[in-house]
Amino acid sequence: TKWIKSYPKSHENSLIYHKRGFCKSKLAEHKSAIADYNKAIKVNPKNYESYIGRAISEHALGNCQEALNDYTKAIQLTTDRKSYFFKPSDGAMARANAYLARAKYKYKLDDYEGASLDATLAIESDPGNCEAYKCRGCCKRRLGDLRGEIQDYQELITTHPYSSDSDLVHRCATIQSELHNYQEAIDYYSMAIQLDPENAILYNKRGLLKVKLKDRQSALNDYMKAIELDPNYADSYVSRGLLREKNLD
């Protein structure tokens, strides 16, 4: 605000207005944020990020069509070769981010097929966009395609191992369990435990699957480890108690 007052005619005000709009959006001051994004766009009509920012605030105000229009405009700007990008790779990454932003918006509108398509376009624009794989995986779950969901996560883990975290691997374990692939699920839980060795929930869930495969002693060891890590985690005590009852049969 101080910069804008000091230099009212500066071209750099596009970025300043954009940043102030972003801050206002975070403070849920969406009408004021939109006003700043409008000013940023007036100064620099090719700044696709301002359209995305304005779309977020429009959605917060319930203006769905306006938001969708802004996301689409952002994509058009990142596709236009006359835009302000200096390298083709910069334009590809920006285009991927724009498609991903629209995909996430469509997901909020329960348009899972549309969101999945946009996530795919994001991946095609920038195969290194890890969030796009996760977004498409979530869409496939909503569409009932569990095998497609885990395929996206597996590809992400294989091609971008640096992006793998325990939550992502945990998702893979959950899907394999839902598909009744218990050994594969156990393997993923073991991988997740390597990434997050202090997580009692992971040990407990791995133990539950080991019981399904009749590996009761190993399951008991997992329950004991979960209790050791978190003595207040009630599920592990329940799991251990049920297992001991089975061992008495």
Side-chain angles (χ1 to χ4, degrees), residues 16-237:
I16 302 302
Y17 278 123
H18 173 85
K19 289 185 174 181
R20 191 171 70 174
F22 175 80
C23 292
K24 289 178 179 179
S25 176
K26 289 295 183 180
L27 294 172
E29 298 175 4
H30 296 293
K31 288 185 178 180
S32 184
I34 289 172
D36 273 343
Y37 287 130
N38 288 341
K39 292 174 182 177
I41 291 169
K42 183 177 181 180
V43 175
N44 182 7
K46 294 185 178 182
N47 186 350
Y48 81 99
E49 292 178 318
S50 292
Y51 285 94
I52 292 177
R54 189 171 69 179
I56 292 171
S57 287
E58 290 284 11
H59 171 66
L61 295 175
N63 303 326
C64 297
Q65 190 58 54
E66 289 81 353
L68 190 59
N69 290 343
D70 274 345
Y71 283 123
T72 301
K73 180 62 177 180
I75 291 169
Q76 291 172 349
L77 286 172
T78 59
T79 307
D80 183 4
R81 293 185 178 181
K82 295 181 180 180
S83 191
Y84 62 93
F85 301 107
F86 297 103
K87 296 184 297 183
S89 59
D90 292 339
M93 292 176 64
R95 184 162 56 254
N97 289 334
Y99 273 120
L100 179 59
R102 191 172 69 175
K104 290 181 176 179
Y105 180 65
K106 288 182 178 179
Y107 186 90
K108 291 179 180 178
L109 297 179
D110 298 333
D111 179 9
Y112 304 122
E113 290 186 359
S116 181
L117 176 60
D118 274 348
T120 298
L121 291 171
I123 293 169
E124 291 176 355
S125 298
D126 177 17
N129 193 313
C130 299
E131 285 301 312
Y133 285 97
K134 294 179 181 179
C135 180
R136 189 171 67 177
C138 290
C139 292
K140 289 179 178 178
R141 167 168 284 272
R142 291 289 188 172
L143 293 170
D145 182 10
L146 295 182
R147 296 185 187 280
E149 179 188 12
I150 196 171
Q151 184 178 356
D152 271 338
Y153 299 154
Q154 286 173 332
E155 184 173 354
L156 183 56
I157 291 170
T158 302
T159 59
H160 303 86
Y162 62 88
S163 69
S164 301
D165 53 35
S166 63
D167 289 338
L168 179 61
V169 179
H170 189 175
R171 287 191 207 178
C172 291
T174 299
I175 298 167
Q176 292 287 23
S177 179
E178 291 172 338
L179 294 172
H180 304 292
N181 299 327
Y182 298 127
Q183 185 56 57
E184 289 83 352
I186 288 171
D187 293 341
Y188 274 115
Y189 275 121
S190 297
M191 188 187 304
I193 287 170
Q194 289 182 341
L195 295 169
D196 188 7
E198 303 299 315
N199 192 322
I201 295 174
L202 297 176
Y203 281 98
N204 184 66
K205 289 189 174 181
R206 187 175 70 174
L208 292 171
L209 293 176
K210 288 179 177 179
V211 171
K212 290 182 179 293
L213 297 181
K214 309 300 182 184
D215 189 2
R216 294 182 176 180
Q217 183 57 52
S218 184
L220 180 61
N221 292 340
D222 275 348
Y223 298 148
M224 296 293 288
K225 182 63 176 179
I227 291 170
E228 176 189 330
L229 290 171
D230 185 359
N232 296 317
Y233 183 46
D235 287 5
S236 295
Y237 291 98

